[in-house]
Amino acid sequence: MLSTTIGVFALQGDVREHLAALEAVGVTTLTVRRPEELARCDGLVIPGGESTTMGKLARIFGLLDPLRERIATGMPTFGTCAGMIMLADRVLDGTADQETIGGLDITVRRNAFGRQVHSFEGPLTMTGLAEPVHAVFIRAPWVESVGDDVEVLARVEGGEAHGRIVAVRQGNLMATSFHPEVGGDARVHRSFVDLVRSA
Ligand SMILES: NC(=O)CC[C@H](N)C(=O)O
């Protein structure tokens, strides 16, 4: 079998952590800053970071339209946190000029967990994983609503945000509000790699 190449959008964000998680799963990785690099990818990860900056840089580097085209034509893509925002069709509490790639029929709310609770972590039950994942949330978005074709993979359990959607899948697109690349558990990346291999 030809090896699977998964790119990590690398204009901004926690690129290294994703590269390490993907390498732990045993795929070939590639940092993506230019359309030529994107063209070599079987799948793509969009990391956590800052979504307004990602949108601006993607526009400046001529990557926004190639990304939209690859995603529209089925390239499996996994967004974490800011990456989830980049994949969302609709953003609440974004900046006026915020551009996303889009593709996922979801509405996300940026920095949804409030100013007091920027960051928290804990176990989270996720569809497809036998044991809970240790989910790290850093100024995270949540998914306010989803379209009919979107499968909800995880919801917050307990606390003020109980029931809020924090992981979704729609066809070849996956997104989490939290950071599975942090903490050495590669199971979420493995399920994305399985998605890429079956695409
Ligand atoms: N950890 C993160 O990726 C935070 C996302 C950030 N709050 C944004 O709006 O882009």
Side-chain angles (χ1 to χ4, degrees):
M1 196 175 93
L2 285 172
S3 80
T4 303
T5 300
I6 300 193
V8 179
F9 173 95
L11 293 176
Q12 202 269 330
D14 68 333
V15 176
R16 256 184 306 169
E17 289 79 356
H18 276 290
L19 291 172
L22 290 166
E23 277 152 22
V25 179
V27 295
T28 304
T29 58
L30 180 69
T31 51
V32 174
R33 296 184 185 85
R34 300 180 315 149
E36 298 75 36
E37 291 154 351
L38 180 64
R40 289 163 51 199
C41 298
D42 302 309
L44 182 74
V45 170
I46 306 176
E50 218 291 317
S51 57
T52 59
T53 308
M54 284 181 182
K56 284 193 187 113
L57 292 175
R59 167 69 68 201
I60 291 167
F61 280 73
L63 208 52
L64 200 55
D65 290 327
L67 281 165
R68 287 176 175 155
E69 198 177 301
R70 283 296 308 273
I71 287 171
T73 54
M75 177 180 66
T77 305
F78 175 29
T80 65
C81 202
M84 169 189 261
I85 297 168
M86 290 302 291
L87 287 178
D89 282 344
R90 295 166 298 277
V91 180
L92 302 175
D93 296 338
T95 58
D97 58 350
Q98 181 156 11
E99 286 195 280
T100 72
I101 302 163
L104 256 182
D105 185 11
I106 61 174
T107 302
V108 295
R109 185 176 293 281
R110 284 180 70 216
N111 304 324
F113 291 91
R115 288 172 204 278
Q116 306 304 317
V117 197
H118 283 166
S119 306
F120 60 99
E121 51 194 274
L124 184 77
T125 304
M126 192 168 163
T127 303
L129 299 182
E131 300 296 326
V133 62
H134 182 74
V136 177
F137 293 84
I138 305 166
R139 291 181 60 77
W142 67 42
V143 180
E144 192 98 1
S145 62
V146 302
D148 290 343
D149 296 333
V150 178
E151 183 188 0
V152 172
L153 300 178
R155 292 178 187 268
V156 174
E157 293 150 54
E160 276 178 40
H162 180 76
R164 292 294 183 179
I165 299 166
V166 289
V168 294
R169 178 184 165 189
Q170 179 184 3
N172 285 338
L173 304 181
M174 256 176 78
T176 62
S177 302
F178 55 94
H179 292 270
E181 72 278 19
V182 176
D185 177 351
R187 286 176 299 153
V188 180
H189 286 79
R190 183 167 294 119
S191 62
F192 176 62
V193 168
D194 289 343
L195 180 66
V196 176
R197 287 187 171 143
S198 67

